[in-house]
């Protein structure tokens, strides 16, 4: 299939590569020239705008930071809707506010174009290894049509409900991940301050109830003092802001989310917003005057 792919960052680039490996023809666009040139060298066709990506592709996928960028790429000047054909399917895989997804869905519907929100979990390794968990909102028939293409990039694709439901699911995911990273940071700072080796604590508890994907992926980064993203703190702040806004709209209480969001805001204003979200540990390290990383 011919696929227009817009947004070639940490996630979009490996996702586009997996689609090419599966035999799809890719028409790629990003506001930055470097990743476009990189994928073009690997066999994709570079296009000059989202409109051209839509005109060339049967389906269009977007993978950009947040709602404003999705609106810009889809509804803006030279956007997807300027090049889209009637009935074309657009799949936004960015993590955005459910209300923003519904706005884009409505704008697409008004032009006779179909739109799914299909955010992902699994991080950069999941994108590289095609093991993403994909959560989808929109019309069920469109999900069924997109399923095979989604499964090229993911280990699962689950239909969550009407437009916006994919992103509501993703917000729930992001709350659990953020709170889990904070819990791991808090617990391992206790171990370090009390003089117990963090690697030993990890070995002792990883197979028990406290074990988690988050601890497996993020604790080694804290112990190595390696906060190269991965998933940037600034993007996680964006997700928690979207979660808080969505929760206020429906009356759901998020007292713990707000606390972790404040930790990440503090890191952002300390110049650490581009660190991986495992860098929540840096907030604890500042408070405790100690690092989880231990010299051997
Ligand atoms: P990134 O910042 O690495 O990449 C975003 C890309 O979009 C960049 O290349 C940027 O130049 C491009 N872009 C920005 N505005 C654009 C526009 N208007 N038109 C075209 N391209 C534009 O971010 P990422 O880590 O790849 O994340 C992308 C999305 O996936 C975000 O919504 C993020 O929350 C979500 N996500 C990320 C991870 C992760 O671990 N990195 C995991 C799951 C979900």
């Amino acid at each position: 299939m011919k696929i227009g792919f817009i947004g070639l960052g940490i996630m979009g680039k490996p996702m586009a590569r997996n689609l090419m490996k599966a035999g799809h023809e890719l028409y790629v666009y990003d506001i930055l020239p470097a990743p476009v040139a990189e994928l073009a060298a690997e066999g994709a066709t570079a296009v000059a705008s989202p409109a051209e990506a839509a005109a060339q592709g049967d389906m269009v996928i977007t993978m950009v930071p947040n709602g404003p960028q999705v609106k810009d790429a889809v509804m803006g000047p030279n956007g997807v809707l300027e090049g889209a054909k009637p009935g074309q399917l657009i799949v936004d895989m960015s993590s955005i506010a459910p209300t923003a997804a519904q706005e884009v869905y409505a704008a697409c519907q008004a032009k006779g174009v179909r739109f799914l929100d299909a955010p992902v979990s699994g991080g950069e390794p999941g994108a590289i290894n095609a093991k993403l968990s994909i959560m989808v909102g929109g019309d069920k028939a469109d999900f069924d049509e997109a399923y095979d293409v989604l499964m090229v990039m993911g280990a699962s694709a689950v239909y969550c409900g009407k437009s916006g439901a994919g992103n509501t699911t993703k917000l729930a995911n992001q709350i659990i991940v953020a709170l889990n990273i904070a819990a791991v940071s808090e617990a391992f700072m206790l171990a370090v301050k009390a003089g117990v080796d963090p690697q030993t604590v990890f070995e002792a508890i990883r197979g028990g109830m406290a074990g988690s994907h988050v601890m497996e992926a993020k604790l080694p980064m804290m112990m190595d003092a390696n906060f190269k993203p991965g998933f940037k703190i600034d993007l996680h702040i964006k997700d928690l802001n979207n979660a808080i806004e969505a929760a206020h709209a429906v009356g759901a209480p998020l007292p713990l989310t707000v606390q972790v969001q404040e930790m990440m805001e503090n890191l952002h204003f300390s110049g650490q917003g581009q660190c991986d979200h495992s860098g929540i540990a840096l907030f604890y390290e500042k408070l405790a005057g100690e690092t989880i990383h231990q010299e051997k």
Side-chain angles (χ1 to χ4, degrees):
M1 185 188 287
K2 294 179 176 175
I3 299 174
F5 202 108
I6 297 160
L8 303 168
I10 289 175
M11 297 296 282
K13 209 168 12 168
M15 290 161 71
R17 281 195 180 113
N18 285 331
L19 290 169
M20 287 201 284
K21 260 189 243 159
H24 296 290
E25 254 179 70
L26 273 266
Y27 294 84
V28 295
Y29 175 76
D30 193 289
I31 49 171
L32 299 176
V36 175
E38 209 180 311
L39 280 196
E42 296 172 25
T45 303
V47 293
S49 66
E52 203 183 325
Q56 299 286 350
D58 302 318
M59 181 188 279
V60 181
I61 294 174
T62 50
M63 191 57 170
V64 296
N66 195 10
Q69 291 79 29
V70 175
K71 286 184 200 171
D72 183 42
V74 176
M75 297 150 65
N78 288 316
V80 169
L81 285 178
E82 288 189 10
K85 302 164 271 280
Q88 194 167 6
L89 182 56
I90 304 171
V91 183
D92 175 42
M93 304 189 74
S94 328
S95 309
I96 71 175
T99 46
Q102 287 159 357
E103 255 182 76
V104 182
Y105 174 90
C108 288
Q109 245 197 350
K111 299 248 174 169
V113 170
R114 298 174 293 147
F115 181 79
L116 291 172
D117 51 298
V120 308
S121 176
E124 187 184 19
I128 293 170
N129 301 321
K131 291 275 183 258
L132 294 169
S133 299
I134 305 172
M135 36 214 113
V136 188
D139 297 348
K140 176 69 166 53
D142 297 339
F143 166 76
D144 291 340
E145 191 178 314
Y147 185 80
D148 288 347
V149 170
L150 295 177
M151 288 302 286
V152 169
M153 297 173 280
S156 70
V158 174
Y159 179 69
C160 301
K162 64 183 182 354
S163 179
N167 275 299
T168 300
T169 307
K170 174 67 182 177
L171 292 179
N173 181 86
Q174 291 307 82
I175 289 171
I176 293 167
V177 172
L179 269 54
N180 203 338
I181 295 175
V184 169
S185 305
E186 198 162 303
F188 279 81
M189 183 52 75
L190 166 68
V192 166
K193 288 288 262 189
V196 184
D197 174 46
Q199 183 65 39
T200 305
V201 176
F202 185 30
E203 294 304 332
I205 70 174
R206 66 199 295 189
M209 189 68 98
S212 67
H213 279 305
V214 164
M215 189 160 76
E216 291 295 325
K218 300 301 174 182
L219 177 61
M221 296 179 75
M222 297 174 193
M223 290 196 297
D224 290 345
N226 163 26
F227 299 110
K228 178 175 173 288
F231 186 62
K232 295 167 199 151
I233 285 173
D234 281 346
L235 283 177
H236 214 144
I237 289 174
K238 170 265 299 184
D239 288 336
L240 295 192
N241 281 335
N242 286 339
I244 291 162
E245 190 188 311
H248 285 168
V250 296
L254 300 185
L256 297 178
T257 302
V258 170
Q259 295 213 16
V260 178
Q261 200 257 10
E262 281 295 310
M263 294 178 196
M264 292 202 280
E265 285 287 351
N266 177 276
L267 292 165
H268 169 81
F269 284 107
S270 311
Q272 290 157 316
Q274 295 295 303
C275 291
D276 186 75
H277 55 169
S278 53
I280 289 173
L282 295 166
F283 178 82
Y284 284 90
E285 293 183 353
K286 271 195 280 184
L287 285 186
E290 175 60 278
T291 58
I292 291 174
H293 170 73
Q294 298 292 294
E295 292 301 338
K296 294 281 176 222

